[in-house]
């Protein structure tokens, strides 16, 4: 019944690792493990849903299309509204960064 | 824009500490800090919403009315369906336990 986040970490990820921890029609919770990975150089994430993101370990930077750039460390959390175009512009290359992302429906 | 969980921890909580990190009509995310605290001896939590809970630090035990008892450690997560009656029967008395609780609407 209980599941654990650290226990199924890849030991040496060669690409970003995404695991869906919970998904149904009202919510999707993901654990993402990065190590120096970033979003593709071109294009932006443009999401239908709202996203709330928390850094569990490590650090990374989120860049918004409007020029805002936010570096987050362990314990930092951030709300990304639906259709706020963004990308991950940096993650720590020397250790794993673990993100918890909670996607939920945009408000009516 | 970014907020941080550890930075506003109470240094020595005398009672359980609950902080709402995000709330709107579709979701409520709480950070709860326990240190030896438990639910009241009588009664159960009986929630209208579904809850997804993750242990960020420390450890604690959740008891369900049906007799299941689940001890959770850092990184453990658990889904508690709406109206699954439960309580916190133990938390580590020697250090802080930090819970992240995500409440979202029960499915139709």
């Amino acid at each position: 019944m209980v599941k654990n986040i650290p226990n199924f970490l890849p030991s040496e990820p060669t690409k970003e690792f995404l695991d869906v921890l919970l998904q149904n029609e009202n919510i999707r919770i993901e654990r993402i493990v990065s190590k120096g990975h970033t979003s593709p150089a071109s294009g932006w994430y443009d999401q239908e849903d709202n996203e709330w993101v928390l850094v569990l370990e490590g650090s990374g930077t989120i860049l918004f299309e409007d020029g805002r750039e936010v570096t987050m460390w362990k314990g930092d959390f951030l709300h990304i509204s639906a259709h706020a175009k963004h990308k991950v512009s940096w993650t720590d290359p020397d250790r794993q960064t673990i993100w918890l992302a909670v996607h939920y429906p945009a408000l009516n």
Side-chain angles (χ1 to χ4, degrees), chain A residues 51-69:
Chain A
E51 178 176 357
W52 184 89
V53 63
L54 168 67
V55 174
L56 296 176
E57 301 286 347
S59 59
T61 301
I62 295 178
L63 173 66
F64 289 86
E65 192 188 27
D66 65 10
R68 285 179 299 151
E69 197 163 29

Side-chain angles (χ1 to χ4, degrees), chain A residues 67-105:
Chain A
R68 285 179 299 151
E69 197 163 29
V70 180
T71 296
M72 299 172 65
W73 306 84
K74 179 178 178 176
D76 286 341
F77 56 91
L78 176 69
H79 190 262
I80 303 173
S81 297
H83 300 298
K85 294 181 183 178
H86 65 282
K87 62 172 68 177
V88 177
S89 59
W90 177 83
T91 58
D92 191 330
D94 297 323
R95 57 177 177 154
Q96 289 184 338
T97 297
I98 307 178
W99 311 82
L100 185 79
V102 179
H103 299 263
Y104 67 97

Side-chain angles (χ1 to χ4, degrees), chain A residues 31-49:
Chain A
R31 187 275 317 269
I32 302 155
V33 182
S34 313
K35 190 174 176 183
H37 306 97
T38 61
S39 305
S42 65
W44 300 91
Y45 292 124
D46 183 358
Q47 300 171 159
E48 298 292 323
D49 288 343

